[in-house]
């Protein structure tokens, strides 16, 4: 039987946070995501990332870097100069993992940079090719 569906895009990623306010600051002030929705009853904060969402939830227990449940997730970024982006992130106190390096992703090969969020989760920031941008929210 043929599969009755195809995966079209990444809908959302859920990130467990030891300090949700600190993580909210990182994802909004540093990465530029915008807060879209809150469900205070479960402690959920949803952030818009292009067509996708990054959900921040409180960690049930202390987080140990060695016990990550996801290797990393990747956000496509419209950035003209990845070296300048790396310098800006470092000046903002963000932990960089290496330097901008060509890597393959949804839009082919392009420069990307790995960083740690405040809880030690690895976030890849991948440069979108010219002419590709994150669409506005519809």
């Amino acid at each position: 039987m043929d599969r009755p569906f195809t995966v079209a895009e990444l809908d959302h990623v859920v990130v467990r946070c030891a300090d949700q306010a600190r993580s909210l600051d990182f994802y909004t002030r540093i990465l530029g995501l915008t807060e879209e929705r809150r469900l205070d009853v479960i402690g959920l904060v949803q952030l818009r990332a292009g067509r996708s969402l990054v959900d921040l939830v409180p960690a049930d227990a202390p987080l140990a870097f060695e016990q990550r449940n996801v290797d990393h997730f990747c956000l496509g970024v419209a950035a003209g100069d990845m070296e300048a982006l790396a310098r800006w992130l470092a000046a903002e106190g963000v932990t960089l993992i290496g330097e901008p390096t060509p890597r393959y992703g949804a839009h082919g090969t392009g420069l990307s940079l790995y960083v740690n969020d405040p809880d030690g989760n690895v976030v890849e920031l991948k440069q979108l090719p010219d002419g590709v941008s994150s669409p506005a929210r519809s």
Side-chain angles (χ1 to χ4, degrees), residues 75-98:
L75 299 173
V77 297
D81 184 341
M82 291 297 283
E83 295 291 340
L85 173 59
R87 288 189 301 273
W88 182 83
L89 290 167
E92 289 291 324
V94 175
T95 301
L96 307 179
I97 305 170

Side-chain angles (χ1 to χ4, degrees), residues 66-77:
E66 305 81 31
Q67 298 175 334
R68 296 179 294 166
N69 61 357
V70 172
D71 181 73
H72 75 278
F73 63 92
C74 179
L75 299 173
V77 297

Side-chain angles (χ1 to χ4, degrees), residues 75-133:
L75 299 173
V77 297
D81 184 341
M82 291 297 283
E83 295 291 340
L85 173 59
R87 288 189 301 273
W88 182 83
L89 290 167
E92 289 291 324
V94 175
T95 301
L96 307 179
I97 305 170
E99 298 182 10
T101 303
R103 295 183 178 91
Y104 188 79
H107 294 284
T109 300
L111 289 176
S112 77
L113 175 66
Y114 290 104
V115 301
N116 282 122
D117 78 359
D119 290 299
N121 296 301
V122 178
V123 181
E124 180 181 359
L125 304 175
K126 185 163 185 305
Q127 186 178 38
L128 292 170
D130 289 339
V132 176
S133 62

Side-chain angles (χ1 to χ4, degrees), residues 47-65:
L47 306 175
R48 177 60 56 185
R51 284 189 278 236
S52 304
L53 295 174
V54 174
D55 295 352
L56 305 178
V57 298
D60 295 333
L63 297 172
F65 183 74

